[in-house]
Amino acid sequence: MTSRGAGTAFSRKNYRLSTEPEKSKVTGIVNSRLLNDYLHRVFTSADGNQPAAAYRKHLTFQNLQEHLDRLLAEENGSEESRDQEAEGRLGPSTVVLDHTSGFEGLLLVDDDLLEVIGHSNFGSIRATTCVYKGKWIYEVLISSQGLMQIGWCTLNCRFNQEEGVGDTPDSYAYDGNRVRKWNVTTTNYGKSWAAGDIVSCLIDLDEGTIAFCLNGISLGTAFDNITRGAGMAYFPAISLSFKESVAFNFGSRPLRYPVEGYRPLQDPPVADLVKARKLLGYLKNVIHVGIDVTEGKLVEKDTSMWQLQGEPTVLITLAHIFNYFSPLMCKVYLVEDVLMTFLLSILERGGAVEAHPLIQQLLDLMWLLMEEYEVHECLKQLLMSLLRAYRFSPIIPDLGLQIHYLRLTIAVLKHEKSRKYLLSNVLFDVLRSVVFFYIKSPLRVEEAGLQELIPTTWWPNRFTKEQGKESKDVKEESAEERLRRRAYERGCQRLKKRIEVVEGLQVQILKLLLNNKDRGGGEASRYIFLNKFRKFLQENASNRGNLTVLCPPEYMVCFLHRLIAALRFFWDGHKAKTPAALSSEEAYVPPQLFYNGKVDYFDLQRLGGLLSHLKKTLKDDLAAKANVLIDPAELQAVTMDDLDEDEESATSAAQSQRPSAALAIGGALARPGWLSSPTLGRANRFLSTAAVSLMNPRRPLGSLEKIKVRTLSVEQRTEEDIEGSHGNEGLLLGRPPEEPDQPITENSLLEVLDGIVMMYNLSVHQQLGKMVGVSDDVNEYAMALKDTEEKISRCPKRRRDIHEELLKSQKVFSEKLNHLSRRLAWINVTIYSKEKMQDIYWLLRVCIRTIEHGDRTGSLFAFMPEFYLSVAMNSYSALKNYFSPVNSMEELPGYEETLMRLAAILAKHFADSRIVGTDIRDSLMQALASYVCYPHSLRAVERISEEQRISMMKNLLAPYEQRPWAQTNWILVRLWRGCGFGYRYTRLPHLLKTKPEDASLPSLQKPCPSTLLQRHMADLLRSDRDLAPSFLNSVLNQLNWAFSEFIGMIQEIQQAAERLERNFVDSRQLKVCATCFDLSVSLLRVLEMTVTLAPEIFLDWNRPSSELLLRRLAQLLNQVLNRVTAERNLFDRVVSLRLPGLDSVDHYPILVAVTGILVRLLVDTDVQGLQGVLRRQKASRLCLFYLKSHWSCGLVKSRQPVSQGFMLPSGTVPSLPTASFMPWAAAGCVVSNQRCHILWCVVGKWQVSDQSSRAL
């Protein structure tokens, strides 16, 4: 790779001295004899032998250049012969991917023509150079582990979207995803690859064989007797599926795993390589040899502590060396092979990075003696080589390779000038520094050395068949199991200590990037990092649908944890210096960041809607509460800008997607940002669309003095714009009166914290959920192993064949569990460790405090970005579902208080009028619905203030129209479940023998009713005479709609099933049908809840709406019972089909709900007093009629075994259940014996089995 300054004439720095003898006295140059000895000692000949002093030429600075030219020209003749075209190869000497004609499908090739991403079903591309004789090799760096076929093909191979390399004659490929080799047919071959692996592709055209290596380990000969002869030449080629990516190394960089006897397709720059190594040797000699001027002799020096110390002789000698060395250091091959190897050797002596100042001295020399464009290119190539080496290093037990490359990265970034240049131009713009914070998970635990670290494996082997979770009421583990578990835990601790070393180095890198004390020579590193970090977030937020430019979520997870560690280090450091500031345990983001225009939130949605809309509608509130004035002229500009927003977005998107890379199809797609330069979204619009003027908040509001604030883009911001100075509060401008006038921390750290919250929302949460799959696999295999062992113990001795098959299965399951348990140990340490859990918990508390502070600002709360609420809900979900059982959330400090504060947020904001986004409102409703499903979180809801509880219940009882009523109804049902008639089951009785897909679902949790919230509901319904009719009418309307839809759908299903031709019912239709049935049942349960808690709403005729509500209820119940209980009706026929997807549709759930309503009405007619006797008798007769006419033909006919109910012994006439089974009895209602006998006569026809013992 040539330098960026290639083709431009640059004057070289010249350090040669004058020949006047008095110059040496002025400059401090040593005498000619000592100088001659020194120069001959430094610039030795190629063989390393120095001629005797009498025969060697006298060297001075005047003839040193000539001497150097002669030394560097030695062996040039032999080297030039190597640069000639090698026999057996055809094509350009610089080998790249053929983006002009050698491709098929939609592909995106990076600007170096060595990296490719698939953009179609199965795209193919080949290289520009082919081979027909000899032994050749090239390497492929696997960036993603998906479907790819890598190998060789001829010019005659024709590929398409279904057939790629290896699918046609004369093409051969290795597929590590499916672990197969391909040449028209396919067979098993090799090992599975993973992201970060390197595949070596070897072809021997003398023997006619093709082989592959994975991370330097041979996979054996894949193909032999390949076609050779006239016209047969083989190109490197690859076929890859959508979004898969790789990088090729044909020889432009040193091969990571060279194979003896095989040549890379592209010859290395041998002449430059020899010259660079010679010059590096001279540089080492300068470092080793010192001049003792007082003694007049040369001395050996300690290289580790070498310093220039202003010696003119040494400086001018180095200038001559760098005069030749500098241009070579602009080439990637030489930087990686010569410079990086030399710098790594300095650190191999061990000790801290600070113990090796030589690297800092060398970087000083580079900035002093190299042209600016040369040092820029050299540093860029050095960091790219380090990142590539770190990313594609194999996992070894001590992680030594990763540690080695991270240490050198730290050493380079410790140099202030180099760090600032790399931050400004390289780390986020050219390459992805986020890779440095990633610790990849080994797919092959054997090669990673986990067998040595964790020799003993263990997994929980006691599970319940229904839930797949570790059972709590099981026998204690045996002594053998205890020993295995402890040995496994010791192995995990060993692994954790080694990974913590890598994590510590990664945090050190971030501490260097967040340094705000290095203001020498320009802006401090932290403020450069802030601007680049914000653009990084913008790229990932604006291109969430474009997978080629997104940071992989597994990288984001690691980056988030390292950034939290570095942030808290600086936060607490500031607290130590400023006692009045907050500690990191009390961190939050102040609300003024959301509306003062200092921080860019791109196009992310606010709680109150679009930012331009909020600035227009809340401009008076901004002026009154935050002393922020919006200029009317700027508001007009915002309005006009919104009108053209779509057009401008399309234009800027087209401009941002102009390919600087070589596009295989010639179209305009975004370049692959992860492999090279990112495609940034449109320019920052938040800071440029509205000018914000602020008043001095310490002055009275009577006279408004405007202070103009510069509306700068991210790139233009300075330290003063962030931290503030001289009365300017920087990011904290516009503090509302509700916000305490107390220092929080440095303003720049607040922006970093805000970015961390955004990172979690972008992709971290999804990745945390994805990695739980390994733990689920362990559970599944452990259950399978346990079942197999039980079958072996029960297998008859005479059935040896079955016994042998079971033993084979046992071995397979054990081996798989051994592999998964070691891999799970790695994942638990890197992702689900206790420290990582505390990071997520800390982030949850940050979001809770931020929401609480924002809520106090009243209408200004609408400016808060939606992702703060999303992160609060998702982080709690992650702590509850993803980190256990490895770590328990209950052990976290302040757990109960945090749970209660989050409950208060959900209870208040699910119906907050300041929140207008449909998606975030639905998310809040779903989070609250999940919250009330679990006892510990439900108790947290009950612990919030009474005012908040009553307000929550009042919002839940609001009319169902124009809001997500299904989720609201589900919340009310969960508060009632466990109190209704036959409503104590966890799963429906007819589904007990089937296994649930996920036992952790909220719908499968044990009933945990809340009598406290039920009491609030009853009080509201009784006290507010307008609330009850509007609520019940909306419930009855929705019930009418849901049940009618359900009946219409089962009619269509029945008609499809009765046709003679074979028909398949659409699974989506079945799902909607089941959903309508479930909604009908839940609405009936809410009606039962209402009738039980406040029966006077239906039975108190002094209420004007009671009779109408009772009539509507009776009509709907009659409709339900007629449809469900008629003999040989439609409902019966559909239920008997037992269609997949309609598992929940059965007689029991809907009939017990209807019965609960009728029984409750029946009982309550006896406890209402004497007033209105005739009407109550009418209602009582109506209920009895429904019970008598429908119960027997519904539940009796279905004869469904009930999992939880009370026993009805045959031949007896029992009384109704007491308070323990009937909630109305517990409420003090009196049920007469006569009424009990009537009810028993009604239900006596039901033949109750012994299994139907606990439901009613």
Side-chain angles (χ1 to χ4, degrees):
M1 186 173 195
T2 60
S3 88
R4 290 177 298 171
T8 307
F10 288 90
S11 61
R12 302 235 32 98
K13 296 181 180 179
N14 197 318
Y15 295 92
R16 287 181 293 176
L17 299 179
S18 172
T19 59
E20 300 177 11
E22 62 270 12
K23 289 291 185 181
S24 63
K25 299 178 182 179
V26 177
T27 59
I29 302 299
V30 299
N31 62 69
S32 60
R33 181 189 58 80
L34 190 55
L35 177 61
N36 177 65
D37 293 342
Y38 176 72
L39 294 178
H40 275 288
R41 182 74 172 272
V42 171
F43 299 101
T44 58
S45 60
D47 56 7
N49 297 322
Q50 298 184 20
Y55 298 99
R56 66 190 183 189
K57 181 179 179 180
H58 187 78
L59 288 180
T60 64
F61 287 128
Q62 283 70 37
N63 61 6
L64 179 57
Q65 182 173 352
E66 179 185 351
H67 181 67
L68 260 175
D69 289 336
R70 186 174 64 255
L71 289 176
L72 295 176
E74 293 177 0
E75 301 181 358
N76 270 359
S78 60
E79 300 303 337
E80 289 175 1
S81 63
R82 299 182 190 178
D83 291 336
Q84 300 300 321
E85 182 67 27
E87 184 181 5
R89 181 178 59 193
L90 294 174
S93 58
T94 301
V95 186
V96 294
L97 296 174
D98 187 355
H99 67 286
T100 58
S101 59
F103 67 91
E104 173 63 37
L106 185 60
L107 297 163
L108 189 62
V109 182
D110 196 41
D111 51 0
D112 62 1
L113 302 182
L114 293 174
E115 300 167 348
V116 61
I117 296 180
H119 272 267
S120 58
N121 184 43
F122 204 51
S124 303
I125 192 169
R126 64 172 183 262
T128 56
T129 299
C130 62
V131 292
Y132 61 90
K133 181 181 178 182
K135 298 180 179 181
W136 304 91
I137 182 176
Y138 71 92
E139 291 181 342
V140 181
L141 285 62
I142 305 297
S143 300
S144 60
Q145 63 188 45
L147 179 60
M148 295 178 283
Q149 293 174 198
I150 302 171
W152 305 84
C153 73
T154 64
L155 192 62
N156 296 326
C157 294
R158 295 292 179 263
F159 305 125
N160 54 45
Q161 291 295 295
E162 301 298 330
E163 294 181 341
V165 180
D167 297 325
T168 63
D170 299 329
S171 67
Y172 306 87
Y174 161 50
D175 176 3
N177 178 262
R178 292 172 288 189
V179 196
R180 305 184 75 82
K181 61 181 180 180
W182 298 80
N183 176 233
V184 182
T185 60
T186 179
T187 55
N188 293 333
Y189 174 79
K191 299 179 181 179
S192 59
W193 60 36
D197 286 342
I198 297 180
V199 176
S200 302
C201 304
L202 299 84
I203 187 169
D204 185 348
L205 289 164
D206 299 330
E207 299 294 332
T209 60
I210 291 177
F212 298 92
C213 300
L214 188 62
N215 295 329
I217 301 174
S218 175
L219 302 177
T221 301
F223 306 99
D224 51 16
N225 297 323
I226 64 173
T227 307
R228 291 171 291 169
M232 296 301 298
Y234 288 91
F235 293 83
I238 184 174
S239 298
L240 65 171
S241 57
F242 179 68
K243 81 177 182 179
E244 304 300 338
S245 59
V246 298
F248 285 86
N249 181 13
F250 299 113
S252 60
R253 299 183 301 272
L255 295 179
R256 179 66 64 87
Y257 303 106
V259 178
E260 186 177 357
Y262 287 81
R263 296 184 58 180
L265 269 75
Q266 179 175 327
D267 289 327
V270 179
D272 288 342
L273 193 57
V274 171
K275 186 185 295 185
R277 288 172 178 170
K278 284 184 179 181
L279 291 167
L280 180 61
Y282 303 151
L283 178 60
K284 292 179 181 178
N285 291 338
V286 172
I287 296 172
H288 282 87
V289 179
I291 303 175
D292 189 341
V293 180
T294 58
E295 297 291 336
K297 64 178 182 180
L298 305 179
V299 295
E300 295 289 335
K301 298 186 69 174
D302 182 7
T303 59
S304 62
M305 303 304 294
W306 181 83
Q307 290 185 353
L308 184 60
Q309 296 178 342
E311 300 176 5
T313 303
V314 178
L315 179 61
I316 297 173
T317 305
L318 288 169
H320 280 84
I321 295 174
F322 273 88
N323 192 50
Y324 295 89
F325 194 59
S326 299
L328 299 176
M329 289 300 100
C330 295
K331 300 180 179 180
V332 58
Y333 194 104
L334 302 179
V335 169
E336 188 167 330
D337 187 82
V338 178
L339 180 61
M340 191 175 80
T341 304
F342 171 56
L343 296 178
L344 287 171
S345 66
I346 297 175
L347 296 175
E348 284 178 352
R349 300 161 190 164
V353 176
E354 293 80 3
H356 302 284
L358 178 58
I359 295 179
Q360 307 298 309
Q361 295 292 320
L362 292 174
L363 289 171
D364 282 336
L365 284 175
M366 291 170 62
W367 283 99
L368 176 65
L369 301 177
M370 295 174 67
E371 298 287 353
E372 188 172 298
Y373 79 94
E374 292 173 339
V375 69
H376 288 175
E377 187 68 18
C378 180
L379 287 173
K380 169 187 168 183
Q381 298 298 344
L382 177 60
L383 257 291
M384 291 181 70
S385 297
L386 278 172
L387 183 140
R388 191 182 299 111
Y390 175 80
R391 185 182 184 188
F392 293 99
S393 293
I395 300 292
I396 58 177
D398 62 352
L399 299 173
L401 295 174
Q402 285 78 9
I403 291 173
H404 207 36
Y405 297 125
L406 287 175
R407 280 165 53 84
L408 180 53
T409 304
I410 291 172
V412 173
L413 292 177
K414 275 185 172 294
H415 190 265
E416 180 179 332
K417 195 171 183 179
S418 301
R419 176 174 67 249
K420 290 184 178 180
Y421 165 73
L422 292 170
L423 255 176
S424 300
N425 302 281
V426 178
L427 286 180
F428 284 94
D429 295 328
V430 177
L431 57 88
R432 286 293 184 270
S433 58
V434 176
V435 176
F436 282 121
F437 310 110
Y438 174 56
I439 302 179
K440 62 182 179 182
S441 176
L443 189 62
R444 299 172 300 276
V445 297
E446 297 81 5
E447 296 177 14
L450 292 186
Q451 287 181 329
E452 292 77 14
L453 277 177
I454 310 175
T456 304
T457 59
W458 172 86
W459 53 85
N461 57 3
R462 296 184 296 272
F463 299 90
T464 62
K465 289 190 176 181
E466 286 189 14
Q467 296 186 356
K469 299 290 182 182
E470 192 169 355
S471 179
K472 295 182 179 180
D473 54 349
V474 294
K475 297 179 181 179
E476 294 184 0
E477 61 183 355
S478 64
E480 181 183 358
E481 289 177 342
R482 189 181 303 111
L483 290 175
R484 285 184 58 200
R485 176 175 57 80
R486 291 176 178 174
Y488 177 75
E489 290 172 351
R490 287 193 297 269
C492 293
Q493 286 299 317
R494 289 192 293 268
L495 175 63
K496 183 178 181 180
K497 290 180 180 178
R498 300 188 180 189
I499 289 180
E500 284 176 346
V501 175
V502 177
E503 293 176 345
L505 293 173
Q506 293 170 334
V507 173
Q508 283 188 45
I509 293 177
L510 275 174
K511 288 179 181 178
L512 291 171
L513 301 183
L514 288 173
N515 184 2
N516 66 335
K517 306 301 181 185
D518 54 345
R519 294 182 175 87
E523 199 173 17
S525 298
R526 179 183 296 178
Y527 306 104
I528 304 174
F529 173 84
L530 276 179
N531 294 336
K532 298 298 181 180
F533 179 50
R534 208 70 194 177
K535 293 184 73 173
F536 167 78
L537 294 174
Q538 179 184 11
E539 177 186 338
N540 283 270
S542 303
N543 295 282
R544 299 190 72 173
N546 189 351
L547 298 174
T548 64
V549 299
L550 296 183
C551 176
E554 59 269 23
Y555 291 17
M556 282 285 221
V557 172
C558 295
F559 185 34
L560 176 108
H561 289 295
R562 310 303 175 267
L563 195 54
I564 287 176
L567 171 68
R568 298 191 68 176
F569 170 82
F570 285 106
W571 194 300
D572 291 331
H574 179 75
K575 166 68 176 177
K577 297 177 183 178
T578 312
L582 299 179
S583 68
S584 63
E585 286 295 336
E586 305 168 295
Y588 71 96
V589 179
Q592 53 265 45
L593 264 71
F594 307 137
Y595 56 74
N596 66 12
K598 293 292 185 177
V599 178
D600 183 11
Y601 290 101
F602 332 125
D603 295 326
L604 296 179
Q605 189 75 6
R606 308 300 182 100
L607 293 178
L610 294 175
L611 179 63
S612 56
H613 170 74
L614 291 175
K615 286 189 172 182
K616 288 185 290 186
T617 57
L618 297 179
K619 60 180 181 179
D620 294 337
D621 292 337
L622 283 171
K625 295 183 178 181
N627 298 339
V628 175
L629 297 180
I630 305 297
D631 194 333
E634 294 294 339
L635 279 178
Q636 180 67 25
V638 171
T639 304
M640 298 303 297
D641 184 71
D642 289 340
L643 293 175
D644 299 334
E645 186 171 1
D646 294 337
E647 181 180 354
E648 182 176 340
S649 299
T651 304
S652 65
Q655 292 174 351
S656 68
Q657 293 179 1
R658 288 172 183 167
S660 56
L663 188 62
I665 61 167
L669 291 176
R671 64 186 296 177
W674 188 251
L675 295 178
S676 63
S677 301
T679 300
L680 298 178
R682 62 177 183 171
N684 176 9
R685 295 181 50 76
F686 179 82
L687 295 175
S688 62
T689 54
V692 181
S693 301
L694 297 127
M695 302 175 296
N696 187 339
R698 295 179 177 81
R699 298 191 181 184
L701 298 180
S703 113
L704 300 181
E705 179 182 349
K706 297 182 180 180
I707 301 176
K708 292 292 183 181
V709 177
R710 290 180 295 168
T711 56
L712 304 175
S713 65
V714 172
E715 296 87 347
Q716 294 174 317
R717 290 193 310 172
T718 63
E719 178 180 350
E720 183 179 348
D721 297 314
I722 297 173
E723 298 291 358
S725 63
H726 307 297
N728 174 17
E729 295 182 274
L731 295 182
L732 298 182
L733 282 170
R735 181 176 60 85
E738 297 85 1
E739 186 68 12
D741 187 9
Q742 175 189 7
I744 303 174
T745 187
E746 297 171 280
N747 291 357
S748 53
L749 298 181
L750 293 174
E751 185 172 343
V752 175
L753 177 58
D754 177 77
I756 289 174
V757 178
M758 189 186 300
M759 277 176 58
Y760 186 91
N761 180 67
L762 291 177
S763 59
V764 172
H765 181 72
Q766 291 86 340
Q767 182 65 15
L768 290 177
K770 178 181 177 181
M771 297 307 294
V772 176
V774 178
S775 177
D776 295 337
D777 290 342
V778 171
N779 291 337
E780 292 294 331
Y781 277 101
M783 293 176 63
L785 179 62
K786 181 181 178 182
D787 291 341
T788 303
E789 290 173 347
E790 291 176 353
K791 291 177 182 177
I792 291 175
S793 63
R794 298 195 306 266
C795 181
K797 294 183 179 179
R798 65 179 183 277
R799 298 304 305 270
R800 293 183 179 179
D801 53 341
I802 298 178
H803 191 264
E804 290 176 358
E805 291 298 325
L806 289 173
L807 289 177
K808 290 180 182 179
S809 299
Q810 183 187 29
K811 182 180 178 181
V812 170
F813 291 143
S814 298
E815 291 176 351
K816 189 66 175 179
L817 277 170
N818 287 334
H819 170 85
L820 287 175
S821 63
R822 292 188 175 100
R823 186 164 178 240
L824 183 61
W826 184 285
I827 293 174
N828 285 338
V829 170
T830 56
I831 298 179
Y832 298 119
S833 67
K834 185 176 182 180
E835 292 76 15
K836 308 300 186 297
M837 184 180 191
Q838 290 171 345
D839 284 346
I840 304 300
Y841 182 61
W842 177 79
L843 197 60
L844 167 62
R845 291 162 68 94
V846 166
C847 291
I848 289 176
R849 282 189 290 268
T850 301
I851 295 169
E852 291 173 343
H853 280 262
D855 180 39
R856 297 183 193 130
T857 62
S859 59
L860 300 185
F861 180 61
F863 282 95
M864 179 177 289
E866 286 184 351
F867 64 77
Y868 273 89
L869 280 170
S870 299
V871 171
M873 294 181 285
N874 290 335
S875 57
Y876 167 72
S877 174
L879 291 169
K880 180 169 65 73
N881 298 320
Y882 301 157
F883 285 86
S884 58
V886 179
N887 297 290
S888 175
M889 188 179 176
E890 285 79 0
E891 299 174 0
L892 294 170
Y895 160 74
E896 296 291 342
E897 179 194 3
T898 301
L899 215 59
M900 184 184 70
R901 292 169 69 180
L902 180 58
I905 289 174
L906 297 176
K908 180 174 184 178
H909 297 300
F910 83 93
D912 194 337
S913 60
R914 296 171 295 181
I915 302 176
V916 300
T918 304
D919 292 340
I920 190 64
R921 290 175 70 92
D922 288 348
S923 297
L924 287 166
M925 186 72 75
Q926 292 171 11
L928 182 60
S930 176
Y931 223 70
V932 299
C933 290
Y934 301 90
H936 58 282
S937 53
L938 177 60
R939 301 301 167 248
V941 176
E942 294 178 340
R943 289 197 304 272
I944 65 178
S945 66
E946 183 176 0
E947 181 183 356
Q948 289 177 317
R949 294 196 305 268
I950 295 175
S951 175
M952 179 189 74
M953 294 306 300
K954 189 170 184 179
N955 289 324
L956 289 173
L957 295 177
Y960 277 6
E961 286 77 10
Q962 306 299 326
R963 68 192 186 101
W965 61 270
Q967 289 293 340
T968 302
N969 195 77
W970 171 246
I971 295 173
L972 295 174
V973 167
R974 289 301 305 185
L975 299 178
W976 176 246
R977 188 173 182 178
C979 295
F981 186 83
Y983 203 37
R984 291 193 169 192
Y985 55 81
T986 302
R987 299 184 64 209
L988 290 171
H990 67 286
L991 298 179
L992 287 178
K993 294 183 179 180
T994 62
K995 183 179 178 181
E997 294 181 1
D998 187 357
S1000 62
L1001 291 174
S1003 59
L1004 297 179
Q1005 302 308 306
K1006 293 182 178 180
C1008 51
S1010 173
T1011 55
L1012 176 62
L1013 297 179
Q1014 290 176 20
R1015 186 164 63 248
H1016 289 322
M1017 176 179 174
D1019 294 341
L1020 287 169
L1021 291 174
R1022 292 191 187 103
S1023 59
D1024 193 335
R1025 289 182 173 268
D1026 295 330
L1027 176 65
S1030 61
F1031 168 69
L1032 287 172
N1033 277 316
S1034 65
V1035 173
L1036 293 170
N1037 290 338
Q1038 300 300 340
L1039 175 60
N1040 182 44
W1041 170 85
F1043 191 73
S1044 299
E1045 288 292 317
F1046 168 71
I1047 294 300
M1049 288 183 181
I1050 63 174
Q1051 287 175 346
E1052 295 178 4
I1053 293 172
Q1054 174 64 18
Q1055 291 171 2
E1058 289 179 348
R1059 291 174 187 155
L1060 296 178
E1061 65 273 13
R1062 187 171 181 177
N1063 289 280
F1064 295 94
V1065 182
D1066 188 2
S1067 59
R1068 290 175 298 179
Q1069 185 179 9
L1070 294 175
K1071 185 176 181 180
V1072 173
C1073 179
T1075 301
C1076 289
F1077 179 79
D1078 293 338
L1079 287 174
S1080 301
V1081 173
S1082 64
L1083 289 164
L1084 287 169
R1085 286 298 183 181
V1086 170
L1087 289 172
E1088 179 194 15
M1089 180 183 183
T1090 307
V1091 170
T1092 303
L1093 297 176
E1096 57 270 26
I1097 296 175
F1098 292 94
L1099 301 178
D1100 184 0
W1101 304 112
N1102 293 324
R1103 291 174 172 262
S1105 58
S1106 294
E1107 185 173 2
L1108 177 61
L1109 288 174
L1110 185 61
R1111 287 181 180 277
R1112 289 200 64 191
L1113 177 64
Q1115 290 172 355
L1116 281 173
L1117 295 181
N1118 187 41
Q1119 177 186 355
V1120 171
L1121 291 173
N1122 285 334
R1123 291 287 189 176
V1124 173
T1125 61
E1127 292 290 339
R1128 295 185 298 277
N1129 63 0
L1130 176 64
F1131 187 85
D1132 278 346
R1133 292 196 295 271
V1134 172
V1135 169
S1136 62
L1137 293 175
R1138 296 299 177 193
L1139 297 173
L1142 294 183
D1143 299 334
S1144 62
V1145 179
D1146 195 75
H1147 294 85
Y1148 178 81
I1150 195 167
L1151 284 180
V1152 292
V1154 172
T1155 303
I1157 297 173
L1158 295 175
V1159 169
R1160 183 64 237 183
L1161 290 173
L1162 182 66
V1163 171
D1164 278 322
T1165 55
D1166 280 346
V1167 295
Q1168 294 293 323
L1170 299 177
Q1171 189 176 3
V1173 173
L1174 294 177
R1175 290 178 178 175
R1176 286 194 297 276
Q1177 286 179 351
K1178 180 179 179 181
S1180 177
R1181 286 196 298 272
L1182 178 64
C1183 296
L1184 281 174
F1185 170 74
Y1186 284 144
L1187 282 172
K1188 182 176 181 180
S1189 59
H1190 296 294
W1191 177 278
S1192 58
C1193 57
L1195 282 178
V1196 174
K1197 178 181 54 159
S1198 71
R1199 296 177 181 267
Q1200 291 292 343
V1202 184
S1203 64
Q1204 298 171 347
F1206 63 88
M1207 180 72 69
L1208 296 179
S1210 58
T1212 61
V1213 182
S1215 62
L1216 279 176
T1218 56
S1220 61
F1221 290 104
M1222 303 287 276
W1224 49 81
C1229 300
V1230 179
V1231 184
S1232 66
N1233 287 334
Q1234 180 182 5
R1235 191 71 68 187
C1236 292
H1237 284 282
I1238 294 173
L1239 181 60
W1240 171 243
C1241 291
V1242 172
V1243 301
K1245 297 181 181 180
W1246 186 21
Q1247 304 294 329
V1248 182
S1249 65
D1250 292 339
Q1251 296 177 349
S1252 308
S1253 59
R1254 292 175 297 278
L1256 303 179

